[in-house]
Amino acid sequence: MSPQHHGTTAPQHHGTLPPDDAIIHVSDLVKKFGSFVANDHLTFDVKRGEIFGFLGANGAGKTTAIRILCGLSYPTSGELLVAGYNVYTQREKIKKNIGYMSQKFSLYDDLTVFENIRFYAAIYGLSKKEIYHRAGNLMKKLELEEARNKLIREIPLGWKQKLAFSVAIIHDPKIVFLDEPTGGVDPITRRQFWDMIYEAARSGITVFVTTHYMDEAEYCDRVCIMVDGRIAALDTPMDLRETFHAKTMNDVFLKLARAKTPEGI
Amino acid sequence: MNNAVEVLNLTKTYGDVHALKEISFSVTKGELFGFIGPDGAGKTTLFRILATLILPDGGSALIEENDIVKDYRKIRQLIGYMPGRFSLYQDLSVEENLRFFATIFGTTIEENYDLVKEIYSQIEPFKTRKAGQLSGGMKQKLALSCALIHKPDVLLLDEPTTGVDAVSRQEFWEMLKRLKEQGITIVVSTPYMDEASLCDQVALIQDGAIMQISTPAKVIDSYPLGLYSVSTSDNYQLLLDLKQLPQVCSAFAYGQAAHLSYRKGEMTKEEVKLYLSKKGHQDVTITPIKPTIEDCFMELMQTSGQADK
């Protein structure tokens, strides 16, 4: 972790984005835990309506950055706007305007399908009438009407993840954060899940997604690759493949992540 | 030659969930055998039964000719088991964990150091660190060292690469390859389809049933359909359009392209090209390709009627 780093090693910021095009604006983000620098001068913008892939090895600093963007943790320094709100002073506003889902934490196993939808919709501040209306539409779309009163633990993982995603955007957020949403999911469901991501993006929701499946990196509009707390590369998948003379995103990822210092800091 | 693992009609149910539906397979000595399938396929249940931690409801399983029910004590000496969830002692140091497992099996680190050397030496610089404070990749190396320290004949590794990044995953498989060279039989499970090609034999498993067992090359050879890799300037619209093609069997996103499967002889490249240009697609590329294990898996899921649950 070199303290002299200027953030100039990678094409991380195009500099041409007009601010009103950026739904997430991150400038010089630093997050330290004691002497450990988890996020080391990150600068990037995420454009409205884009699917933004956020990749990196375990411990590269992805989760730290996501927690800050979701208003769950304060940065040590840096200027950040999420959906137009300041991460230092307007965290509650941020939480109302984003959705969040992860593989590890999505739905409550001991609540039913409907109870989960109602719970999240209420947390996101929807009215009772609106909750019933949207819950009905959602269950219909996912063909879950018959499973309405089933406990979440009784439904297959694939359904569960699709439901979790739908619940995360039930309040029409400006941005949805997906932290490894498809881990362990079967290959067909994984693709159906991406169909849903595309659909959400087409409806104007910005998607910020992390994944360990490198083929999924190809489905993103732009991909940011983190190595050791820094942005090692940020570009469209096609340009990344060209820049790094790689055939696939997996090769790009291995090239960048392999170049890092040995694990165990 | 006797098989290292011999499983016949193994069944396990939890209430009305059929976790394993009459599973049969055998693993030859010294083989690297992979169970490939998503979460909920039954992999962990199977590994727990083989590790003599839970009992099956029916069927039988032998490890090195020992019965998993009757001879469980013997089996526990013979196997090294790495569960899917990190289950070493978080508040013991790296070295203490390894010493603990060696002692339990009546041996010492020194006695079998050769076996774990290559893996353990990578984490040895941190041997005083508490296991709970290790990174994911290091935890995995420690867990593998602990499963190996008593010199097992058969290694049972339940999803060792889940949640681990692409770099550590690759390193892990390189380690397995070298362990195999030392004659250890390895049974490993993974949800990552791309890891299948690294095994001698694979069992594709879904919903408690094995859909196919073969070598990775034979799995690919037995793919019954033709397959094109198709890409255009708008791959999302491409998928929507390909799914509308009358002769299509399936159209799935696959990295930079879409994979389009069709019954052999029923669809030419030219037909697809014409169709797509009518739909207004530009920069259309269509290449006939060999399927990957993931293509095969999806095809098997569809033909076994499990795609749309």
Side-chain angles (χ1 to χ4, degrees), chain A residues 56-58 103 156-157 159 162 180 183-192 195 198-199 202 212-215 218-219 241 247-250 253-254 257-258 263-265, chain B residues 38-39 126 129 135-138 141 163-171 174 191-193 206 234 236-237 239 243 252-256 294 297-298 301-302 307-309:
Chain A
N58 302 332
Q103 183 203 359
L157 177 79
W159 279 13
K162 284 188 244 176
E180 289 180 39
V185 171
D186 75 66
I188 291 184
T189 307
R190 208 152 69 75
R191 285 163 172 84
Q192 291 168 343
D195 288 343
Y198 275 114
E199 202 187 308
R202 288 216 164 174
H212 281 317
Y213 292 98
M214 288 303 135
D215 60 330
E218 309 276 1
Y219 309 152
R241 290 196 307 270
K247 262 164 73 185
T248 62
M249 280 302 296
N250 192 46
F253 184 82
L254 290 178
R258 273 271 156 91
E263 184 180 15
I265 309 304
Chain B
D39 288 2
F126 313 99
R129 190 178 291 188
S135 70
M138 285 165 74
K141 283 171 190 150
V164 174
D165 65 72
V167 176
S168 308
R169 274 171 56 196
Q170 209 178 42
E171 283 174 2
E174 283 160 17
Y192 293 102
M193 306 279 149
Q206 165 82 1
D234 182 352
Y236 179 58
Q237 190 57 45
L239 271 181
K243 284 178 186 165
F252 289 117
Y254 211 100
Q256 311 155 40
E294 191 158 1
F297 196 95
M298 290 193 284
M301 274 179 80
Q302 290 193 313
D308 274 311
K309 358 155 247 138

Coordinates of all heavy atoms in Angstrom, one line a residue, chain A residues 56-58 103 156-157 159 162 180 183-192 195 198-199 202 212-215 218-219 241 247-250 253-254 257-258 263-265, chain B residues 38-39 126 129 135-138 141 163-171 174 191-193 206 234 236-237 239 243 252-256 294 297-298 301-302 307-309:
Chain A
G56 N -13.1 -7.5 -7.7 CA -11.9 -7.5 -7.0 C -11.7 -8.8 -6.2 O -12.7 -9.5 -5.9
A57 N -10.5 -9.1 -5.9 CA -10.2 -10.3 -5.1 C -10.8 -10.1 -3.7 O -11.2 -9.0 -3.3 CB -8.7 -10.6 -5.0
N58 N -10.9 -11.2 -2.9 CA -11.4 -11.1 -1.5 C -10.4 -10.1 -0.8 O -9.2 -10.2 -1.0 CB -11.3 -12.4 -0.8 CG -12.2 -13.4 -1.4 OD1 -13.1 -13.1 -2.1 ND2 -11.8 -14.7 -1.3
Q103 N -26.0 -12.0 -1.4 CA -26.2 -13.4 -1.3 C -26.4 -13.8 0.1 O -27.2 -14.6 0.5 CB -25.1 -14.2 -1.9 CG -25.2 -15.6 -2.0 CD -23.9 -16.4 -2.0 OE1 -22.9 -15.8 -2.1 NE2 -24.0 -17.7 -2.0
P156 N -37.0 -22.8 -3.3 CA -35.7 -23.0 -3.9 C -34.9 -21.7 -4.0 O -35.4 -20.6 -4.1 CB -36.0 -23.5 -5.3 CG -37.4 -24.0 -5.3 CD -38.1 -23.2 -4.3
L157 N -33.6 -21.9 -3.9 CA -32.7 -20.8 -3.9 C -32.9 -19.8 -5.1 O -32.8 -18.6 -4.9 CB -31.2 -21.3 -3.8 CG -30.2 -20.2 -3.9 CD1 -30.0 -19.5 -2.5 CD2 -28.8 -20.7 -4.4
W159 N -35.5 -19.1 -6.8 CA -36.7 -18.3 -6.6 C -36.4 -17.2 -5.6 O -36.8 -16.1 -5.7 CB -37.9 -19.1 -6.1 CG -38.6 -19.9 -7.1 CD1 -38.2 -20.1 -8.4 CD2 -39.9 -20.5 -6.9 NE1 -39.2 -20.9 -9.0 CE2 -40.2 -21.1 -8.2 CE3 -40.7 -20.7 -5.9 CZ2 -41.4 -21.9 -8.3 CZ3 -41.9 -21.4 -6.0 CH2 -42.2 -22.0 -7.2
K162 N -34.4 -14.4 -7.0 CA -35.1 -13.5 -7.8 C -36.1 -12.7 -7.0 O -36.3 -11.5 -7.3 CB -35.9 -14.4 -8.9 CG -35.0 -14.9 -10.0 CD -35.9 -15.6 -11.1 CE -35.6 -17.0 -11.1 NZ -36.4 -17.8 -12.1
E180 N -22.7 -9.8 -4.8 CA -22.6 -11.2 -5.2 C -24.0 -11.9 -5.2 O -24.3 -12.8 -4.5 CB -21.7 -12.0 -4.2 CG -20.3 -11.7 -4.4 CD -19.4 -12.5 -3.5 OE1 -19.7 -13.6 -3.2 OE2 -18.4 -11.9 -3.0
G183 N -24.2 -15.9 -6.3 CA -23.4 -16.9 -5.8 C -24.1 -18.3 -5.5 O -25.1 -18.3 -4.9
G184 N -23.6 -19.3 -6.1 CA -24.1 -20.7 -5.8 C -25.4 -21.0 -6.6 O -26.0 -22.1 -6.4
V185 N -25.9 -20.1 -7.4 CA -27.2 -20.2 -8.1 C -26.9 -21.1 -9.3 O -25.9 -21.0 -9.9 CB -27.8 -18.9 -8.4 CG1 -29.0 -19.0 -9.3 CG2 -28.1 -18.1 -7.1
D186 N -27.9 -21.9 -9.7 CA -27.7 -22.7 -10.9 C -27.6 -21.8 -12.2 O -28.0 -20.7 -12.2 CB -28.8 -23.8 -11.1 CG -30.1 -23.2 -11.5 OD1 -30.2 -22.7 -12.7 OD2 -31.1 -23.1 -10.8
P187 N -26.9 -22.4 -13.2 CA -26.6 -21.6 -14.4 C -27.8 -21.0 -15.1 O -27.7 -19.9 -15.7 CB -25.8 -22.5 -15.3 CG -26.0 -23.9 -14.8 CD -26.4 -23.8 -13.3
I188 N -28.9 -21.7 -15.1 CA -30.1 -21.1 -15.8 C -30.7 -19.9 -15.0 O -30.9 -18.9 -15.5 CB -31.1 -22.2 -16.1 CG1 -30.5 -23.1 -17.2 CG2 -32.4 -21.6 -16.6 CD1 -31.5 -24.2 -17.6
T189 N -30.8 -20.2 -13.7 CA -31.4 -19.1 -12.9 C -30.5 -17.9 -12.9 O -30.9 -16.8 -12.8 CB -31.6 -19.6 -11.4 OG1 -32.3 -20.8 -11.5 CG2 -32.3 -18.6 -10.6
R190 N -29.2 -18.1 -12.9 CA -28.2 -17.0 -12.9 C -28.5 -16.1 -14.1 O -28.4 -14.9 -14.1 CB -26.8 -17.7 -13.1 CG -25.7 -16.9 -12.5 CD -24.6 -17.8 -12.1 NE -23.9 -18.5 -13.1 CZ -22.9 -17.9 -13.9 NH1 -22.6 -16.7 -13.8 NH2 -22.3 -18.6 -14.8
R191 N -28.8 -16.8 -15.3 CA -29.0 -16.0 -16.5 C -30.4 -15.3 -16.4 O -30.5 -14.2 -16.8 CB -28.9 -16.9 -17.7 CG -27.5 -17.2 -18.0 CD -27.3 -18.4 -18.9 NE -25.9 -18.5 -19.3 CZ -24.9 -19.0 -18.6 NH1 -25.2 -19.6 -17.4 NH2 -23.7 -19.1 -19.0
Q192 N -31.4 -16.0 -15.8 CA -32.7 -15.3 -15.6 C -32.5 -14.1 -14.7 O -33.2 -13.1 -14.9 CB -33.7 -16.3 -15.0 CG -34.1 -17.4 -16.0 CD -34.8 -18.6 -15.3 OE1 -34.8 -18.7 -14.1 NE2 -35.5 -19.4 -16.2
D195 N -31.3 -11.3 -16.7 CA -32.4 -10.7 -17.5 C -33.1 -9.7 -16.6 O -33.5 -8.6 -17.1 CB -33.4 -11.8 -17.9 CG -32.9 -12.7 -19.0 OD1 -31.9 -12.3 -19.6 OD2 -33.4 -13.8 -19.2
Y198 N -31.1 -6.5 -16.4 CA -31.2 -5.7 -17.6 C -32.5 -4.9 -17.6 O -32.6 -3.8 -18.0 CB -31.1 -6.6 -18.9 CG -29.7 -6.9 -19.3 CD1 -29.2 -8.2 -19.2 CD2 -28.9 -5.9 -19.8 CE1 -27.9 -8.4 -19.7 CE2 -27.6 -6.1 -20.2 CZ -27.1 -7.4 -20.2 OH -25.8 -7.7 -20.6
E199 N -33.5 -5.6 -17.3 CA -34.9 -5.0 -17.3 C -34.9 -3.8 -16.3 O -35.4 -2.8 -16.7 CB -35.9 -6.1 -16.8 CG -37.3 -5.8 -17.3 CD -38.2 -6.9 -16.6 OE1 -37.9 -8.1 -16.8 OE2 -39.2 -6.4 -16.0
R202 N -33.0 -1.0 -17.8 CA -33.8 -0.4 -18.9 C -34.9 0.6 -18.4 O -35.3 1.5 -19.0 CB -34.4 -1.4 -19.8 CG -33.4 -2.1 -20.6 CD -33.9 -2.5 -22.0 NE -32.7 -2.8 -22.9 CZ -32.9 -3.2 -24.1 NH1 -34.0 -3.4 -24.6 NH2 -31.8 -3.4 -24.8
H212 N -18.3 -12.9 -8.5 CA -17.1 -13.7 -8.7 C -17.1 -14.5 -10.0 O -16.2 -15.1 -10.4 CB -16.9 -14.7 -7.5 CG -16.3 -14.1 -6.3 ND1 -15.3 -13.2 -6.3 CD2 -16.7 -14.3 -5.0 CE1 -15.0 -12.8 -5.1 NE2 -15.8 -13.5 -4.2
Y213 N -18.3 -14.4 -10.7 CA -18.4 -15.0 -12.0 C -17.9 -14.1 -13.0 O -18.5 -13.0 -13.3 CB -19.8 -15.4 -12.3 CG -20.4 -16.5 -11.4 CD1 -21.2 -16.2 -10.3 CD2 -20.1 -17.8 -11.7 CE1 -21.7 -17.2 -9.5 CE2 -20.7 -18.8 -10.9 CZ -21.4 -18.5 -9.8 OH -22.0 -19.5 -9.0
M214 N -16.8 -14.4 -13.7 CA -16.2 -13.4 -14.6 C -17.0 -13.3 -15.9 O -17.0 -12.3 -16.6 CB -14.8 -13.8 -15.0 CG -13.9 -13.6 -13.8 SD -13.9 -11.8 -13.3 CE -14.0 -12.1 -11.5
D215 N -17.8 -14.3 -16.3 CA -18.7 -14.2 -17.4 C -19.7 -13.1 -17.2 O -20.1 -12.4 -18.1 CB -19.4 -15.5 -17.8 CG -20.2 -16.0 -16.8 OD1 -19.9 -15.8 -15.6 OD2 -21.2 -16.7 -17.1
E218 N -18.9 -9.5 -18.2 CA -19.1 -9.1 -19.6 C -20.5 -8.5 -19.7 O -20.7 -7.8 -20.7 CB -19.0 -10.3 -20.5 CG -17.8 -11.2 -20.3 CD -16.6 -10.7 -21.1 OE1 -16.8 -9.6 -21.8 OE2 -15.6 -11.3 -21.1
Y219 N -21.4 -8.8 -18.8 CA -22.8 -8.2 -19.0 C -22.9 -6.8 -18.5 O -23.9 -6.2 -18.6 CB -23.8 -9.1 -18.2 CG -23.7 -10.6 -18.5 CD1 -24.1 -11.5 -17.6 CD2 -23.3 -11.0 -19.8 CE1 -24.1 -12.9 -17.8 CE2 -23.2 -12.4 -20.0 CZ -23.6 -13.3 -19.1 OH -23.5 -14.6 -19.3
R241 N -10.6 -5.7 -22.3 CA -10.0 -6.8 -23.0 C -8.9 -6.4 -23.9 O -7.9 -7.0 -24.1 CB -11.1 -7.7 -23.7 CG -12.0 -8.4 -22.8 CD -12.8 -9.5 -23.5 NE -13.5 -9.0 -24.7 CZ -14.7 -8.5 -24.7 NH1 -15.4 -8.5 -23.6 NH2 -15.3 -8.1 -25.8
K247 N -8.4 -12.4 -23.8 CA -9.5 -12.9 -24.5 C -10.8 -12.8 -23.8 O -11.9 -12.6 -24.4 CB -9.3 -14.4 -24.9 CG -8.7 -14.6 -26.3 CD -8.1 -15.9 -26.5 CE -9.1 -17.0 -26.7 NZ -8.4 -18.3 -26.8
T248 N -10.7 -12.9 -22.5 CA -12.0 -12.8 -21.6 C -11.7 -11.9 -20.4 O -10.6 -11.6 -20.1 CB -12.3 -14.2 -21.1 OG1 -11.2 -14.6 -20.3 CG2 -12.5 -15.2 -22.2
M249 N -12.8 -11.6 -19.8 CA -12.7 -10.8 -18.5 C -11.9 -11.6 -17.5 O -11.3 -11.0 -16.6 CB -14.0 -10.3 -18.0 CG -14.6 -9.1 -18.8 SD -13.5 -7.7 -18.7 CE -13.6 -7.3 -17.0
N250 N -12.1 -12.9 -17.5 CA -11.4 -13.7 -16.5 C -9.8 -13.5 -16.7 O -9.1 -13.3 -15.7 CB -11.7 -15.2 -16.7 CG -11.2 -16.0 -15.6 OD1 -11.4 -15.7 -14.4 ND2 -10.6 -17.1 -15.9
F253 N -8.9 -10.1 -15.3 CA -8.9 -10.1 -13.9 C -7.7 -10.8 -13.3 O -7.0 -10.3 -12.4 CB -10.2 -10.8 -13.4 CG -10.4 -10.8 -11.9 CD1 -10.9 -9.7 -11.2 CD2 -10.0 -11.9 -11.1 CE1 -11.0 -9.7 -9.9 CE2 -10.1 -11.9 -9.7 CZ -10.6 -10.8 -9.1
L254 N -7.3 -12.0 -13.9 CA -6.2 -12.7 -13.4 C -4.9 -11.9 -13.6 O -4.0 -11.8 -12.7 CB -6.1 -14.1 -14.1 CG -7.1 -15.1 -13.7 CD1 -7.0 -16.4 -14.5 CD2 -7.1 -15.4 -12.2
A257 N -5.1 -9.0 -10.9 CA -5.0 -9.5 -9.5 C -3.8 -10.3 -9.2 O -3.3 -10.2 -8.1 CB -6.3 -10.3 -9.2
R258 N -3.2 -10.9 -10.2 CA -2.0 -11.7 -10.0 C -0.8 -10.8 -9.7 O 0.2 -11.1 -9.1 CB -1.7 -12.5 -11.2 CG -2.3 -13.9 -11.2 CD -1.4 -14.9 -10.6 NE -2.2 -16.0 -10.1 CZ -2.4 -17.1 -10.8 NH1 -2.0 -17.2 -12.0 NH2 -3.1 -18.1 -10.2
E263 N -0.5 -12.2 -0.8 CA -1.6 -12.1 0.2 C -1.1 -12.2 1.6 O -0.1 -12.7 1.9 CB -2.5 -13.3 -0.1 CG -3.8 -13.3 0.7 CD -4.6 -14.5 0.4 OE1 -4.1 -15.4 -0.2 OE2 -5.8 -14.5 0.8
G264 N -1.9 -11.5 2.5 CA -1.6 -11.8 3.9 C -1.2 -10.5 4.7 O -0.6 -10.6 5.7
I265 N -1.5 -9.4 4.1 CA -1.2 -8.1 4.8 C -2.2 -7.9 6.0 O -3.3 -8.0 5.8 CB -1.3 -6.9 3.9 CG1 -0.5 -7.1 2.6 CG2 -0.8 -5.6 4.6 CD1 0.9 -7.5 2.8
Chain B
P38 N -25.3 -26.5 -8.4 CA -25.6 -25.3 -7.6 C -25.9 -25.6 -6.2 O -26.0 -26.8 -5.8 CB -26.9 -24.7 -8.3 CG -27.5 -25.9 -8.9 CD -26.4 -26.9 -9.3
D39 N -26.1 -24.5 -5.4 CA -26.5 -24.7 -4.0 C -27.9 -25.4 -4.0 O -28.7 -25.2 -4.8 CB -26.8 -23.3 -3.3 CG -25.4 -22.6 -3.1 OD1 -24.4 -23.2 -3.4 OD2 -25.5 -21.5 -2.5
F126 N 2.5 -16.5 9.0 CA 1.5 -15.9 9.8 C 1.0 -16.9 10.9 O -0.1 -16.9 11.3 CB 0.3 -15.5 9.0 CG 0.7 -14.7 7.8 CD1 0.8 -15.3 6.5 CD2 1.0 -13.4 7.9 CE1 1.2 -14.6 5.4 CE2 1.4 -12.6 6.8 CZ 1.5 -13.3 5.6
R129 N -0.9 -15.9 14.0 CA -2.2 -15.2 13.8 C -3.3 -16.1 14.1 O -3.4 -17.3 13.8 CB -2.3 -14.6 12.4 CG -3.4 -13.7 12.3 CD -3.5 -13.1 10.9 NE -2.3 -12.2 10.6 CZ -2.3 -11.5 9.5 NH1 -3.2 -11.6 8.6 NH2 -1.2 -10.7 9.3
S135 N -7.5 -14.0 5.9 CA -8.3 -13.7 4.7 C -8.9 -15.0 4.2 O -8.4 -16.1 4.6 CB -7.4 -13.1 3.7 OG -6.5 -14.0 3.2
G136 N -9.8 -14.9 3.3 CA -10.5 -16.1 2.8 C -9.6 -17.1 2.2 O -9.7 -18.3 2.5
G137 N -8.6 -16.6 1.3 CA -7.7 -17.5 0.7 C -6.8 -18.3 1.7 O -6.5 -19.4 1.5
M138 N -6.4 -17.5 2.7 CA -5.5 -18.2 3.7 C -6.3 -19.2 4.6 O -5.7 -20.2 5.0 CB -4.9 -17.1 4.6 CG -3.8 -16.3 3.9 SD -3.3 -14.8 4.7 CE -2.4 -15.4 6.1
K141 N -6.4 -22.3 2.8 CA -5.2 -23.1 2.8 C -5.0 -23.8 4.2 O -4.5 -24.9 4.2 CB -4.0 -22.2 2.5 CG -3.9 -21.9 1.0 CD -2.9 -20.8 0.7 CE -3.1 -20.4 -0.8 NZ -2.7 -19.0 -1.0
G163 N -17.1 -18.6 -2.7 CA -16.8 -17.3 -2.1 C -15.4 -16.9 -2.2 O -15.0 -15.9 -1.6
V164 N -14.6 -17.6 -2.9 CA -13.2 -17.3 -3.1 C -12.9 -16.7 -4.4 O -13.6 -17.1 -5.4 CB -12.3 -18.6 -2.9 CG1 -10.9 -18.4 -3.2 CG2 -12.5 -19.2 -1.5
D165 N -12.1 -15.7 -4.5 CA -11.9 -15.0 -5.8 C -11.2 -15.9 -6.9 O -10.6 -16.9 -6.5 CB -11.2 -13.7 -5.6 CG -9.8 -13.9 -5.1 OD1 -9.0 -14.3 -6.0 OD2 -9.5 -13.6 -4.0
A166 N -11.3 -15.4 -8.1 CA -10.8 -16.2 -9.2 C -9.3 -16.6 -9.1 O -8.9 -17.6 -9.5 CB -11.0 -15.4 -10.5
V167 N -8.5 -15.7 -8.5 CA -7.1 -16.0 -8.4 C -6.9 -17.1 -7.4 O -6.2 -18.1 -7.7 CB -6.3 -14.7 -7.9 CG1 -4.9 -15.1 -7.7 CG2 -6.4 -13.6 -9.0
S168 N -7.5 -17.0 -6.2 CA -7.3 -18.0 -5.2 C -7.9 -19.4 -5.7 O -7.4 -20.4 -5.3 CB -8.0 -17.6 -3.9 OG -7.5 -16.4 -3.5
R169 N -9.0 -19.3 -6.4 CA -9.6 -20.5 -7.0 C -8.6 -21.2 -7.8 O -8.4 -22.4 -7.7 CB -10.8 -20.1 -7.8 CG -12.1 -20.0 -7.0 CD -13.2 -19.5 -7.9 NE -13.4 -20.3 -9.0 CZ -14.1 -19.9 -10.1 NH1 -14.6 -18.7 -10.1 NH2 -14.3 -20.7 -11.1
Q170 N -7.9 -20.5 -8.7 CA -7.0 -21.1 -9.6 C -5.8 -21.8 -8.8 O -5.4 -22.9 -9.1 CB -6.5 -20.1 -10.6 CG -6.1 -20.8 -11.9 CD -5.6 -19.7 -12.9 OE1 -4.9 -18.8 -12.6 NE2 -6.1 -19.9 -14.2
E171 N -5.3 -21.0 -7.8 CA -4.2 -21.6 -7.0 C -4.7 -22.8 -6.3 O -3.9 -23.8 -6.2 CB -3.8 -20.5 -6.0 CG -3.0 -19.4 -6.5 CD -2.7 -18.3 -5.5 OE1 -3.2 -18.5 -4.3 OE2 -2.1 -17.3 -5.8
E174 N -4.6 -25.8 -8.5 CA -3.2 -26.2 -8.8 C -2.7 -27.1 -7.6 O -2.0 -28.1 -7.8 CB -2.3 -25.0 -9.0 CG -2.5 -24.5 -10.4 CD -2.0 -23.0 -10.6 OE1 -1.3 -22.5 -9.7 OE2 -2.4 -22.4 -11.6
P191 N -19.8 -25.2 -7.1 CA -20.9 -24.7 -7.9 C -20.3 -24.0 -9.2 O -21.1 -23.6 -10.1 CB -21.5 -23.6 -7.0 CG -20.4 -23.2 -6.2 CD -19.4 -24.3 -6.0
Y192 N -19.0 -23.9 -9.3 CA -18.4 -23.3 -10.5 C -18.2 -24.3 -11.6 O -17.4 -25.2 -11.5 CB -17.1 -22.6 -10.2 CG -17.1 -21.5 -9.2 CD1 -16.8 -21.6 -7.9 CD2 -17.6 -20.2 -9.7 CE1 -16.9 -20.6 -7.0 CE2 -17.6 -19.2 -8.8 CZ -17.3 -19.3 -7.5 OH -17.4 -18.3 -6.6
M193 N -19.0 -24.1 -12.7 CA -19.0 -25.0 -13.8 C -17.6 -25.1 -14.5 O -17.2 -26.1 -15.0 CB -20.0 -24.7 -14.9 CG -21.4 -24.5 -14.3 SD -22.3 -26.0 -14.1 CE -23.3 -25.7 -12.7
Q206 N -28.1 -32.0 -9.6 CA -29.1 -31.0 -9.5 C -30.3 -31.6 -8.8 O -30.7 -32.7 -9.1 CB -29.4 -30.5 -10.9 CG -30.7 -29.7 -11.0 CD -30.5 -28.2 -10.7 OE1 -29.3 -27.8 -10.3 NE2 -31.5 -27.4 -10.7
D234 N -26.0 -5.2 -29.7 CA -26.9 -5.1 -28.6 C -27.2 -6.6 -28.1 O -28.2 -7.2 -28.6 CB -28.2 -4.4 -29.0 CG -29.1 -4.2 -27.8 OD1 -28.9 -4.8 -26.7 OD2 -30.1 -3.5 -28.0
Y236 N -28.4 -7.7 -25.4 CA -29.6 -8.0 -24.6 C -30.8 -8.2 -25.6 O -31.5 -9.1 -25.5 CB -29.9 -6.9 -23.6 CG -31.2 -7.1 -22.8 CD1 -31.3 -8.2 -22.1 CD2 -32.2 -6.2 -22.9 CE1 -32.5 -8.4 -21.4 CE2 -33.4 -6.4 -22.2 CZ -33.5 -7.5 -21.4 OH -34.7 -7.7 -20.7
Q237 N -30.9 -7.3 -26.5 CA -31.9 -7.4 -27.5 C -31.7 -8.7 -28.3 O -32.7 -9.3 -28.7 CB -31.9 -6.1 -28.4 CG -33.1 -6.0 -29.4 CD -34.4 -6.0 -28.6 OE1 -34.6 -5.3 -27.6 NE2 -35.4 -6.8 -29.0
L239 N -30.6 -11.5 -27.3 CA -31.2 -12.7 -26.6 C -32.7 -12.7 -26.7 O -33.3 -13.8 -26.9 CB -30.9 -12.5 -25.1 CG -29.6 -13.2 -24.6 CD1 -29.4 -12.9 -23.1 CD2 -29.5 -14.7 -24.9
K243 N -34.6 -15.9 -28.7 CA -35.6 -16.8 -28.0 C -36.8 -16.9 -28.9 O -37.6 -17.8 -28.7 CB -35.9 -16.2 -26.6 CG -34.8 -16.5 -25.7 CD -35.0 -15.9 -24.3 CE -33.8 -16.1 -23.4 NZ -33.8 -15.3 -22.2
F252 N -29.0 -18.5 -24.4 CA -28.5 -18.0 -23.1 C -27.4 -17.0 -23.3 O -26.5 -17.2 -24.2 CB -28.0 -19.2 -22.2 CG -29.1 -20.1 -21.8 CD1 -29.1 -21.4 -22.1 CD2 -30.1 -19.6 -20.9 CE1 -30.1 -22.3 -21.7 CE2 -31.1 -20.5 -20.4 CZ -31.1 -21.8 -20.8
A253 N -27.3 -16.1 -22.4 CA -26.2 -15.2 -22.4 C -25.0 -16.0 -22.0 O -25.0 -16.9 -21.1 CB -26.4 -14.0 -21.4
Y254 N -23.8 -15.7 -22.6 CA -22.6 -16.4 -22.3 C -21.4 -15.4 -22.4 O -20.8 -15.3 -23.5 CB -22.4 -17.6 -23.1 CG -21.7 -18.7 -22.4 CD1 -22.4 -19.8 -21.9 CD2 -20.3 -18.7 -22.2 CE1 -21.8 -20.8 -21.2 CE2 -19.7 -19.6 -21.5 CZ -20.4 -20.7 -21.0 OH -19.7 -21.7 -20.3
G255 N -21.1 -14.7 -21.4 CA -20.0 -13.7 -21.4 C -20.3 -12.7 -22.5 O -21.4 -12.1 -22.6
Q256 N -19.4 -12.6 -23.4 CA -19.5 -11.5 -24.5 C -20.5 -11.9 -25.5 O -20.8 -11.0 -26.3 CB -18.2 -11.4 -25.2 CG -17.0 -11.2 -24.3 CD -15.7 -11.6 -25.0 OE1 -15.5 -11.4 -26.2 NE2 -14.8 -12.3 -24.3
E294 N -20.8 -25.9 -18.8 CA -22.0 -25.1 -18.4 C -23.1 -25.2 -19.4 O -24.3 -25.4 -19.0 CB -21.6 -23.7 -18.2 CG -22.7 -22.9 -17.5 CD -22.2 -21.6 -16.8 OE1 -21.0 -21.3 -16.8 OE2 -23.0 -20.9 -16.2
F297 N -24.6 -28.6 -18.8 CA -25.4 -28.6 -17.5 C -26.8 -28.0 -17.8 O -27.8 -28.6 -17.4 CB -24.7 -27.8 -16.5 CG -25.2 -28.0 -15.1 CD1 -24.5 -29.0 -14.3 CD2 -26.3 -27.4 -14.6 CE1 -25.0 -29.2 -13.0 CE2 -26.8 -27.6 -13.3 CZ -26.1 -28.5 -12.5
M298 N -26.8 -26.9 -18.5 CA -28.1 -26.2 -18.8 C -29.0 -27.1 -19.6 O -30.2 -27.2 -19.4 CB -27.9 -24.9 -19.4 CG -27.2 -23.9 -18.4 SD -27.3 -22.2 -18.9 CE -26.0 -22.2 -20.1
M301 N -30.4 -29.8 -17.5 CA -31.4 -29.3 -16.6 C -32.7 -29.1 -17.4 O -33.8 -29.4 -16.8 CB -31.0 -27.9 -16.1 CG -30.2 -27.9 -14.9 SD -29.8 -26.2 -14.4 CE -31.3 -25.7 -13.6
Q302 N -32.6 -28.7 -18.6 CA -33.9 -28.5 -19.4 C -34.5 -29.8 -19.7 O -35.7 -29.9 -19.6 CB -33.5 -27.7 -20.6 CG -33.2 -26.2 -20.3 CD -33.2 -25.3 -21.5 OE1 -32.6 -25.7 -22.5 NE2 -33.9 -24.2 -21.4
A307 N -35.6 -26.9 -15.3 CA -35.2 -25.5 -15.6 C -36.2 -24.5 -15.0 O -35.8 -23.4 -14.6 CB -35.1 -25.4 -17.1
D308 N -37.4 -24.9 -14.9 CA -38.4 -23.9 -14.6 C -39.1 -24.1 -13.3 O -40.3 -24.0 -13.2 CB -39.5 -23.8 -15.8 CG -39.0 -22.9 -16.9 OD1 -38.6 -21.8 -16.6 OD2 -39.0 -23.3 -18.0
K309 N -38.3 -24.4 -12.3 CA -39.0 -24.6 -11.0 C -39.1 -23.2 -10.3 O -38.4 -22.4 -10.6 CB -38.4 -25.6 -10.1 CG -37.2 -26.3 -10.5 CD -36.4 -26.7 -9.3 CE -35.1 -26.0 -9.3 NZ -34.6 -25.5 -8.2

